[in-house]
Amino acid sequence: MAGLPVLDSTTFTALSWRNIGPFRGGRSVAAVGLPSQPLTYFAGYTGGGLWRTDDAGNGWRNISDGFFKTGSVGAIAVAPSDENVIYVGMGEHAIRGQSSTYGDGMYKSTDQGRTWTHIGLATSRQISAVRVHPSNPDVVYVAAQGDRWKGTSDRGIYRTTDGGKTWTQLLKGENAFSGASDLSMDATNPRILYAAMWDHQRTPWMVRSGGAGSGIWKSVDGGDTWKRAQDGLPKLVGKIGVSVSPANPDRVYAIVEAENGGLFRSDDAGKTWRQMSGDRLIQTRSWYYMNITADPKNADVVWVMNAPVMKSIDGGRTFASVSATHGDNHQLWINPTNPNYLINANDGGASISLDGGKSWSTQDNQPTSQFYHVAVDDGFPYKLYGGQQDNSSVIIQSRSDGGSIGIREWTEGPGCESANMGVSAKNPRYVYGGCYQGLIDEQDATNGLTRTIMPWPEMNLTEPTDKTKYRFNWTAPIEVSMHDDKVVYHGGNVLFKTTTRGQRWTPISGDLTRNDKTRQGWGGGPITNEGAGGEVYATIVVIEESPHDANTLYVGTDDGLIQRTRDGGKTWTNVTPAAWGDGLVNEIAISPHDAGTIYVSFRKDRVGDPTPHIFVSKDYGATFTRIVNGLRDGEPVRVVREDTERKGLLYAGTETGVYVSYDAGAQWLPFRGNFPVVPVTDLQVKHGDLIAATEGRAFWILDDLSVLRQRADAIEKAAVHLYAPRAAVLAGSGGGFGAPRGAGRNPPYGAVINFRLAAAPDTATTLLLEFLDAKNGVVRSFATKGDTVNKLTVKPGLNTFNWNLRRAAPARLAGVLLFGAPGDGGARVVPGTYTVRLTMGTTVLTQKLEVQQDPRLDVPALAVAERDSVANLLSNRINEIHEAVLRVRDLKTQVQGFVTRAKETSAPDTIAKAGRTLTTKLGALDPKMTTKAGNGQDIINYANGINGQYGFLLGQVEGNSELTQPVKDRLVELEKLWQTLKAEVEQVETVDVNAFNALLQKYNVPGVIGGVKKKGPIA
């Protein structure tokens, strides 16, 4: 677009997001293992991409980032004849209305998942099964279930014979809503295939499962022709799972949704069928489950995945529940060579069993949670609040005082899996969490106790929504007023308000939805009802209170309306443009800079149109303008937020990631960096950070928006630029971007300095980065040339440097570990104003840097100064001792050298004797000053030197905000010990060395012994 700035993409790629967790698995419906490697498995998540474990689930790593363009995995298959070849079909087959996204076809790897290539079927949307020919890895069959929201022709059974270069549709549904829910291949004859077709459609108000297009089809010629199997099966069927027994190819199992459904079995290769079990536990909530797996070795053993896992050992006549790691289970893969090796894909992630299902690996090591929203408080560290689908609500810290964000840094909150959470940012004692069908709880953060506070305590599960008094969305919104934290809003089809923490609720509106009765009633049909609450329609889904005026609120509904009040709910105005039509008002955001400006994320994908929609109004909703230039077509927008400091800087969360705009939405740019391909359900701009809730990869934080906020054309054209850094806090221990496996990442400790280079400095130029105190004294410096300890490595574009807020380290002794002492520099600096100075050639740039005290502490300035004085003294003493050690060692080496050369003199024995005496004295000093311990185990083997005592005391000083009396007393004692030892060193360096030099001169030995120059105190 003419006139718009062109941004350097390196800015975005250099900025690094961090995944904070929680490390608790989210929904998976696809899993497979390598038959020849019983510890290696793959799991696909419904938003989180593809993951791999090589230690039977002890640890997982993502292998789809950088390759997949969408994140929802529906099916995985490993080629039996070549385990390097893996096929993945995208788009989960469990057709949820919430917490679910679409797929983009097929991906293939020929190197066991290291790299991936997209190989077609991009419009299939949801893929339920992939089957590979047992001896030819290029022959693949795909069950395309199709778009859940609308009828299409891109569904059915597909085949490729050239490894995915071309595809042929072999079986098409009887109507536009009939897709393939499953596909099974005869292990003894790959020409024999059984396809389960499913006539279905998801609408926002109902899930339809079943119709004329549902049924089982069989092919005996590799899919060229098909015949419907009917004998013995119910006439009206819904979703079906099918599995031919590898142990007996004449036996075929099917789990069938029907009025009289259950487990059906054929013992004549699909010609006739009979019902073996009508057990309700194997067929409940059919649209969500219905996966069946025949044991590879025993034809009488069959597994059905549902809530819970069910297993039959008598050919399907009876079933027993098998313990699992989650209540909702979707797919089971059994190793064909050993049925004891299993992987279960379920709503809590993926778990592995090596003993036939008796025990399972943990799912608390997979950062694949699905969150609907995120709320953020103002504490330090600030906390994130959100509901995790298929689990509980979560309250998690943004950082920890340890090396990572682990299980101790998060707790379960009020409400349930669908929780929309409300909390006062300033006073987060009371936390409100919702649940389906209008349930709402309050949790007291001081004691963990919860209260149930429903506005209307009516049991609405399975009730027709046109018969209930109120209607509540699956993730009904809760908003604690930012102006008065006694005021809490809760959205149903009316807006509720309480000022008594839920003891009393008052509706402050009438029905704010379209209230279309034709879109109310039962949630499922024609066979199975769905009454959990996901199909409750004509409800409020977002409440937005103006930060400028407590009386101005907007609500958005799932049937496409925006309602506004300017008088605290006394009157309401429908400001929805008629042209918008059907859709979902997914999010509303009021500009922090202008009271009349609102941004609306509007979704139409749930009525079959995935076009992205963002609308802005600058007149309180009187008129709207669509702003989507630069967004990818076919990618719905979930949320838009404006930066709290820079007006017109917008962030958008879409179905696959984050976008940014610098001109109030006139032009959008993808903001990927290291952020994964995943639906972004919510964004918050708080505390100078950008916080993201995702649908499949938990919570992410982009720390420090300074670079984005300060962006300007002049900066991007400059040879060198130093950005103004945000304040650094003397808190935590960091952990940075190297968190251990299975834990969230902390921000790097200290000050983050960003600078930009048009080009890296040439070999003749030194780039110097310095930190100066209030008196312009250099506290710490780093350079592109010089010692490795303070080495600065740079590149063209954006550079980020982390200063750990420590002064220069004492002189180092190679291979020496000081237990309990800071290992990454000298003493910490004190709170105050510092200067960052960047020098390259003749260019000198400076910026102010504020270093702040940990806000959790209240320490008098005199105590801070006293502590700093002692910390510096200790650090300088360590430096003084280490320099003495280096001098003593150098003297010892010189003496030994002179003794060797004195062999050619007239008095070699005299010099040798004097040399041995001197080296003995020097050798005795070394262990008094330092230790031989070089690792964490040697510290309990080798004695401490006095340097270790000073280092340990420095650690004790830094472990408290004020000096304790024992620290002061110990310092006095150490100082006396050092003065005594220091006198011994000086005695040897002067008297003894001078005497030895005199002896050398007496016998005409050329040269004299020289001491190492003392450097004095460190900066």
Side-chain angles (χ1 to χ4, degrees):
M1 185 177 291
L4 290 177
V6 178
L7 273 69
D8 186 344
S9 62
T10 61
T11 299
F12 299 135
T13 55
L15 295 174
S16 185
W17 296 76
R18 60 185 175 96
N19 180 206
I20 71 163
F23 274 67
R24 181 169 68 172
R27 188 169 67 256
S28 172
V29 300
V32 72
L34 295 183
S36 68
Q37 299 180 39
L39 301 184
T40 297
Y41 298 83
F42 302 87
Y45 295 81
T46 59
L50 186 67
W51 294 67
R52 173 175 176 152
T53 177
D54 291 297
D55 51 18
N58 186 53
W60 293 84
R61 69 181 190 277
N62 184 279
I63 60 172
S64 59
D65 284 351
F67 298 102
F68 288 14
K69 301 302 181 184
T70 58
S72 179
V73 177
I76 315 167
V78 175
S81 60
D82 184 352
E83 292 183 358
N84 288 305
V85 179
I86 306 173
Y87 293 92
V88 173
M90 304 301 290
E92 69 166 313
H93 48 82
I95 57 166
R96 293 192 63 95
Q98 305 84 13
S99 71
S100 183
T101 185
Y102 56 82
D104 64 335
M106 291 291 298
Y107 287 85
K108 177 183 179 181
S109 174
T110 57
D111 52 14
Q112 213 171 88
R114 294 174 180 83
T115 60
W116 296 89
T117 303
H118 187 265
I119 57 170
L121 301 184
T123 58
S124 57
R125 303 304 263 187
Q126 324 291 141
I127 289 176
S128 61
V130 177
R131 311 298 177 201
V132 185
H133 193 283
S135 61
N136 187 344
D138 288 334
V139 176
V140 185
Y141 296 87
V142 169
Q145 190 169 281
D147 196 313
R148 62 198 146 137
W149 301 113
K150 65 179 180 180
T152 67
S153 60
D154 299 309
R155 60 182 86 213
I157 303 298
Y158 288 83
R159 180 183 65 198
T160 179
T161 58
D162 53 16
K165 295 177 183 177
T166 59
W167 294 90
T168 302
Q169 188 179 34
L170 304 174
L171 178 63
K172 193 173 182 178
E174 292 196 350
N175 57 55
F177 295 98
S178 296
S181 60
D182 204 357
L183 178 66
S184 185
M185 177 185 289
D186 186 335
T188 65
N189 185 349
R191 293 176 298 175
I192 299 176
L193 302 165
Y194 297 87
M197 300 297 287
W198 184 21
D199 194 337
H200 70 286
Q201 183 186 9
R202 163 72 72 168
T203 65
W205 53 90
M206 184 181 183
V207 54
R208 181 184 65 78
S209 177
S214 290
I216 299 175
W217 275 258
K218 179 183 178 181
S219 175
V220 295
D221 52 13
D224 291 337
T225 61
W226 296 84
K227 182 179 180 180
R228 184 168 187 168
Q230 291 180 307
D231 191 352
L233 294 174
K235 290 184 178 181
L236 176 63
V237 297
K239 190 175 183 181
I240 299 172
V242 62
S243 182
V244 55
S245 170
N248 177 4
D250 286 334
R251 177 168 290 184
V252 187
Y253 290 101
I255 183 72
V256 180
E257 178 189 11
E259 187 65 30
N260 185 25
L263 190 285
F264 286 77
R265 192 178 91 190
S266 173
D267 291 302
D268 52 12
K271 294 178 182 177
T272 61
W273 298 81
R274 57 183 172 133
Q275 186 187 47
M276 304 301 295
S277 173
D279 189 339
R280 287 297 305 162
L281 271 179
I282 62 174
Q283 55 182 312
T284 56
R285 214 180 187 201
S286 303
W287 65 267
Y288 198 42
Y289 305 110
M290 306 302 277
N291 179 271
I292 187 168
T293 306
D295 186 275
K297 300 294 185 181
N298 188 335
D300 285 331
V301 176
V302 62
W303 299 70
V304 173
M305 306 303 281
N306 205 291
V309 175
M310 304 293 287
K311 179 183 180 181
S312 173
I313 60 173
D314 57 8
R317 294 177 177 84
T318 61
F319 282 85
S321 174
V322 177
S323 65
T325 46
H326 200 281
D328 303 330
N329 302 276
H330 295 287
Q331 189 181 36
L332 182 75
W333 178 84
I334 306 175
N335 190 310
T337 64
N338 187 337
N340 282 322
Y341 300 150
L342 314 170
I343 181 168
N344 172 8
N346 59 69
D347 274 5
S351 55
I352 293 158
S353 176
L354 302 179
D355 55 13
K358 295 176 184 177
S359 62
W360 299 88
S361 62
T362 182
Q363 295 182 161
D364 291 336
N365 56 2
Q366 302 159 38
T368 51
S369 309
Q370 296 175 305
F371 285 97
Y372 288 102
H373 309 277
V374 61
V376 181
D377 69 18
D378 290 340
F380 185 89
Y382 64 82
K383 295 184 180 68
L384 282 61
Y385 303 75
Q388 181 188 344
Q389 174 57 43
D390 307 318
N391 233 303
S392 69
S393 69
V394 169
I395 304 172
I396 185 170
Q397 292 181 188
S398 58
R399 62 189 293 170
S400 74
D401 289 325
S404 60
I405 302 170
I407 194 169
R408 293 177 179 84
E409 279 70 55
W410 66 269
T411 61
E412 295 185 358
C416 71
E417 60 181 324
S418 67
N420 203 324
M421 299 180 73
V423 63
S424 168
K426 296 177 182 178
N427 182 22
R429 174 177 177 178
Y430 298 111
V431 185
Y432 299 89
C435 193
Y436 22 78
Q437 301 286 14
L439 292 164
I440 180 173
D441 297 333
E442 178 202 70
Q443 184 181 82
D444 187 339
T446 62
N447 54 32
L449 296 177
T450 61
R451 300 165 53 237
T452 58
I453 54 171
M454 285 183 75
W456 188 252
E458 178 181 11
M459 169 59 171
N460 289 327
L461 284 173
T462 74
E463 294 296 322
T465 55
D466 56 347
K467 304 298 183 185
T468 58
K469 185 176 180 66
Y470 299 109
R471 300 181 302 276
F472 292 88
N473 191 265
W474 175 262
T475 178
I478 303 168
E479 187 82 7
V480 179
S481 172
M482 67 186 79
H483 302 283
D484 180 358
D485 60 19
K486 294 184 177 64
V487 174
V488 182
Y489 299 101
H490 184 35
N493 57 310
V494 304
L495 185 63
F496 292 95
K497 176 182 178 180
T498 181
T499 58
T500 59
R501 294 172 41 214
Q503 288 299 109
R504 292 181 180 86
W505 291 92
T506 302
I508 61 169
S509 75
D511 194 321
L512 295 176
T513 74
R514 299 184 191 273
N515 195 20
D516 183 348
K517 296 299 182 182
T518 66
R519 295 181 173 183
Q520 298 172 24
W522 298 109
I527 301 168
T528 307
N529 185 34
E530 174 56 35
E535 287 62 48
V536 179
Y537 192 63
T539 62
I540 296 170
V541 292
V542 57
I543 305 166
E544 183 74 359
E545 181 189 46
S546 173
H548 311 281
D549 172 22
N551 287 316
T552 299
L553 297 98
Y554 297 84
V555 302
T557 71
D558 59 2
D559 55 3
L561 296 184
I562 298 179
Q563 305 272 12
R564 182 197 68 206
T565 181
R566 301 290 302 279
D567 54 15
K570 295 176 183 177
T571 59
W572 290 86
T573 303
N574 183 348
V575 296
T576 316
W580 288 11
D582 256 356
L584 164 68
V585 180
N586 205 69
E587 193 58 74
I588 302 170
I590 300 173
S591 168
H593 307 283
D594 177 34
T597 297
I598 64 171
Y599 298 94
V600 179
S601 307
F602 192 74
R603 293 174 59 187
K604 297 174 75 72
D605 54 305
R606 303 204 314 162
V607 290
D609 179 7
T611 304
H613 295 289
I614 302 172
F615 294 94
V616 61
S617 173
K618 298 181 179 180
D619 49 17
Y620 293 93
T623 60
F624 283 92
T625 302
R626 186 166 176 259
I627 48 170
V628 295
N629 189 47
L631 297 178
R632 192 167 71 173
D633 192 35
E635 187 171 317
V637 178
R638 303 284 192 106
V639 60
V640 175
R641 304 285 183 195
E642 186 172 17
D643 192 87
T644 54
E645 290 192 6
R646 179 166 175 165
K647 186 177 181 179
L649 174 56
L650 305 181
Y651 310 98
T654 74
E655 210 70 15
T656 64
V658 178
Y659 285 76
V660 64
S661 172
Y662 275 94
D663 44 25
Q667 176 71 32
W668 291 95
L669 298 156
F671 183 13
R672 177 67 60 197
N674 66 324
F675 195 81
V677 172
V678 64
V680 176
T681 55
D682 202 359
L683 294 169
Q684 296 291 344
V685 184
K686 295 275 287 185
H687 312 295
D689 299 338
L690 182 60
I691 300 143
T694 73
E695 193 175 273
R697 296 292 286 271
F699 290 124
W700 290 69
I701 296 176
L702 177 66
D703 298 293
D704 191 0
L705 293 170
S706 301
V707 170
L708 292 177
R709 287 171 168 172
Q710 295 172 40
R711 188 265 158 206
D713 288 349
I715 291 175
E716 302 205 351
K717 294 176 182 177
V720 57
H721 177 79
L722 176 64
Y723 293 88
R726 74 168 174 181
V729 182
L730 288 158
S733 60
F737 303 107
R741 183 171 66 176
R745 290 178 173 175
N746 267 331
Y749 174 83
V752 175
I753 308 302
N754 294 291
F755 57 93
R756 183 180 179 83
L757 302 175
D762 57 40
T763 55
T765 303
T766 299
L767 191 145
L768 181 65
L769 180 63
E770 298 170 293
F771 298 90
L772 287 67
D773 60 20
K775 297 179 180 179
N776 285 328
V778 176
V779 176
R780 193 79 182 268
S781 63
F782 302 87
T784 52
K785 294 182 180 180
D787 66 276
T788 57
V789 175
N790 299 306
K791 185 69 176 292
L792 185 65
T793 302
V794 299
K795 64 182 184 301
L798 181 67
N799 289 264
T800 298
F801 180 82
N802 173 225
W803 176 40
N804 62 5
L805 304 180
R806 291 188 178 278
R807 297 178 172 88
R812 294 180 180 269
L813 297 180
V816 172
L817 174 67
L818 301 185
F819 176 74
D824 50 359
R828 277 195 313 221
V829 299
V830 295
T833 301
Y834 295 80
T835 299
V836 184
R837 184 166 66 194
L838 183 69
T839 304
M840 189 172 76
T842 59
T843 301
V844 180
L845 304 173
T846 61
Q847 293 284 2
K848 292 298 181 183
L849 168 66
E850 291 296 325
V851 176
Q852 299 174 350
Q853 183 62 278
D854 187 328
R856 296 168 293 184
L857 300 175
D858 184 14
V859 187
L862 287 176
V864 172
E866 181 187 34
R867 178 177 173 276
D868 182 57
S869 176
V870 170
N872 280 320
L873 184 151
L874 293 170
S875 186
N876 282 320
R877 281 291 182 267
I878 296 171
N879 183 70
E880 186 179 357
I881 294 165
H882 286 185
E883 288 189 346
V885 170
L886 294 173
R887 293 198 307 273
V888 164
R889 290 177 179 177
D890 181 68
L891 289 171
K892 186 176 179 181
T893 300
Q894 290 186 63
V895 170
Q896 291 171 338
F898 275 105
V899 168
T900 299
R901 289 197 293 275
K903 292 179 180 179
E904 307 300 325
T905 67
S906 60
D909 293 338
T910 302
I911 295 175
K913 183 179 179 181
R916 285 195 295 271
T917 301
L918 181 53
T919 56
T920 299
K921 287 185 176 181
L922 291 168
L925 289 173
D926 196 305
K928 294 179 182 180
M929 291 189 289
T930 187
T931 178
K932 294 169 69 176
N935 58 59
Q937 294 302 309
D938 274 350
I939 60 174
I940 57 177
N941 180 42
Y942 293 111
N944 293 303
I946 198 169
N947 66 341
Q949 297 296 342
Y950 272 104
F952 183 79
L953 191 60
L954 178 57
Q956 292 292 298
V957 168
E958 293 197 347
N960 200 326
S961 56
E962 301 181 54
L963 293 180
T964 65
Q965 190 59 45
V967 164
K968 297 176 183 179
D969 295 342
R970 175 58 171 159
L971 176 59
V972 170
E973 182 180 67
L974 271 183
E975 288 287 85
K976 291 178 180 178
L977 292 173
W978 169 236
Q979 292 307 314
T980 300
L981 182 55
K982 181 180 178 182
E984 291 183 40
V985 174
E986 291 177 345
Q987 168 74 20
V988 173
E989 286 183 312
T990 56
V991 176
D992 293 344
V993 169
N994 288 341
F996 189 74
N997 279 331
L999 185 65
L1000 294 176
Q1001 293 173 5
K1002 177 180 178 181
Y1003 291 104
N1004 298 317
V1005 179
V1008 295
I1009 296 174
V1012 178
K1013 184 179 179 182
K1014 299 181 181 181
K1015 297 180 181 178
I1018 57 176

